[in-house]
Amino acid sequence: MPRILVLRGAAAVTGSLALAASLTACGGSSPAGSADSEGAERVVTVYSADGLKSEKGDGWYDRVFADFTKKTGIEVKYVEGGSGEMVQRAVRERTNTQADVLITLPPFIQQADGKGLLQSYVPQGADKVNGADKSTDGKWTSVVNNYFGFVYNKKELPEAPKTWEELLDARYKGKLQYSTPGVAGDGTAVLIKSMHDFGGKEPAMEYLKKLQANNVGPSSSTSKLAPKTDKGELLVANGDVQMNFAQSKSMPNLGIWFPAKEGGKPTSFALPYAAGLVDKAPHSENGKKLLDHLLGEEAQRLVSEVGGGFPARSDIKPTDANAIELTKLMTGVEIFEPDWADIDKNLTGYVDAWKSATGS
């Protein structure tokens, strides 16, 4: 389950973090941002991986946040960036917590939990989320399911590449880029998938060392790579299915594909947007209400139709055109389950090995 993302259309944030314009209340019991009858501030702050909010205002976050504000009168303040960025920001603010809800991709949600950044809260509807997509202690649960993938320019490449090995060809020199492992969730996914496909850390690093000859260089956020690919500045980049599928609606040259090791099958793994209530959140009760809303039936039914992703709740079976297209896209792709406990424990070592291999 791709990508602090979203996860899932996305407004790119490079280097620094962006505070998006707060959504205005369309109704509710009191004006957004005001205090309720007991003096509690009617606001909730979300730190999230890029991918689920659209620059055009038509993404899943745009829709569900507006619905939430209309329903509750609680204003949503939104900050997005790479998955690792969001966790590190929350760490820096520990003595003066700003975020109420943290939404990021694995393994960064596990990392946030391990750093003590999350408090236990089981949202309404979490019982409908599969066990692998939520923590056993209620610290986090997936709100949008997703899968790791790559994008390519359909105009310049009539057919998508099929294997990792093809990307070593000289035609991709200066035309290939992937986001930075350890900083971006989808960038970290490049490490995870390559270690799986090549059969371990050492052969994966050997391959990524060779690939570096074609790589443009680091990118702290994945979402900005799709526009470059659509324009032909890049031929190939990494991404995730939800985000890239949503972007492809306004980027006609963007295609999605899944690399295979030569002689093997195309593979991917689940890269969900996982949400947790921040420890010592300044507006904890509002955070709980938002988590309930994100897992509500109405919001979950919009995941494919509006967001281009996959519902986190197993009881929601969408039949909209996007859902049908997404099912077709994933047909024939072998889905593996990473050892998230190992990745959480050894992530620093894996990232250091990548830095050494690539000279990054």
Side-chain angles (χ1 to χ4, degrees):
M1 279 157 247
R3 324 210 290 97
I4 243 189
L5 301 342
V6 169
L7 183 275
R8 342 163 209 192
V13 177
T14 308
S16 62
L17 304 173
L19 177 62
S22 300
L23 300 175
T24 314
C26 304
S29 56
S30 64
S34 65
D36 61 20
S37 58
E38 297 180 353
E41 193 176 6
R42 302 186 68 77
V43 66
V44 60
T45 299
V46 177
Y47 283 9
S48 177
D50 50 357
L52 290 171
K53 195 175 190 303
S54 169
E55 288 182 326
K56 295 183 177 181
D58 58 358
W60 188 69
Y61 274 163
D62 302 285
R63 176 70 175 271
V64 297
F65 287 170
D67 289 346
F68 176 73
T69 298
K70 183 177 181 179
K71 177 181 177 181
T72 65
I74 298 171
E75 174 187 1
V76 179
K77 292 185 177 180
Y78 177 71
V79 179
E80 74 170 25
S83 291
E85 284 183 289
M86 294 293 94
V87 173
Q88 289 307 311
R89 176 164 178 161
V91 168
R92 292 195 301 270
E93 295 173 347
R94 234 183 189 137
T95 58
N96 183 28
T97 305
Q98 300 296 308
D100 300 301
V101 172
L102 180 65
I103 304 176
T104 183
L105 308 182
F108 295 99
I109 194 67
Q110 291 92 339
Q111 185 182 87
D113 187 12
K115 291 179 180 294
L117 295 176
L118 306 176
Q119 59 174 298
S120 182
Y121 177 67
V122 179
Q124 296 174 23
D127 60 317
K128 306 296 185 183
V129 176
N130 291 329
D133 300 330
K134 59 186 176 183
S135 66
T136 56
D137 59 1
K139 294 290 183 64
W140 57 268
T141 185
S142 300
V143 292
V144 171
N145 279 346
N146 191 17
Y147 296 91
F148 178 61
F150 274 63
V151 292
Y152 73 103
N153 182 291
K154 295 192 293 186
K155 182 178 179 182
E156 299 294 331
L157 300 174
E159 289 188 6
K162 290 182 173 59
T163 68
W164 287 104
E165 288 82 358
E166 285 182 57
L167 301 182
L168 299 176
D169 191 276
R171 75 179 300 183
Y172 294 104
K173 186 173 180 62
K175 291 286 190 177
L176 176 150
Q177 190 173 19
Y178 60 90
S179 51
T180 307
V183 175
D186 290 322
T188 305
V190 172
L191 287 187
I192 295 170
K193 177 171 158 58
S194 61
M195 287 192 293
H196 171 270
D197 289 359
F198 285 94
K201 182 179 76 171
E202 297 307 322
M205 297 309 154
E206 183 180 342
Y207 168 79
L208 292 172
K209 180 178 182 178
K210 296 176 183 177
L211 186 65
Q212 194 66 10
N214 290 343
N215 187 19
V216 171
S219 174
S220 63
S221 183
T222 312
S223 60
K224 69 177 183 179
L225 302 182
K228 291 182 178 181
T229 305
D230 179 64
K231 292 173 185 175
E233 294 175 28
L234 299 173
L235 292 177
V236 170
N238 70 316
D240 61 67
V241 173
Q242 177 279 323
M243 177 173 66
N244 296 143
F245 185 83
Q247 289 172 318
S248 70
K249 298 302 181 182
S250 59
M251 299 179 190
N253 297 321
L254 201 66
I256 299 172
W257 69 291
F258 305 90
K261 187 177 183 301
E262 202 164 65
K265 295 181 179 180
T267 68
S268 184
F269 63 96
L271 202 61
Y273 290 91
L277 187 66
V278 176
D279 186 46
K280 299 181 177 63
H283 310 101
S284 183
E285 292 306 311
N286 294 347
K288 292 176 181 178
K289 291 177 183 177
L290 180 61
L291 289 171
D292 290 345
H293 183 76
L294 295 178
L295 272 180
E297 286 192 30
E298 183 178 353
Q300 287 291 300
R301 291 188 188 283
L302 295 174
V303 168
S304 58
E305 181 183 347
V306 175
F310 305 82
R313 288 178 53 155
S314 59
D315 62 327
I316 303 298
K317 309 290 185 184
T319 57
D320 58 90
N322 283 351
I324 294 170
E325 194 172 344
L326 285 164
T327 299
K328 182 179 179 181
L329 177 66
M330 299 305 299
T331 300
V333 179
E334 185 177 274
I335 305 299
F336 66 92
E337 185 172 332
D339 184 345
W340 291 115
D342 170 76
I343 293 165
D344 183 38
K345 179 181 178 181
N346 296 300
L347 179 61
T348 299
Y350 294 147
V351 172
D352 286 346
W354 169 81
K355 289 178 179 178
S356 177
T358 61
S360 300

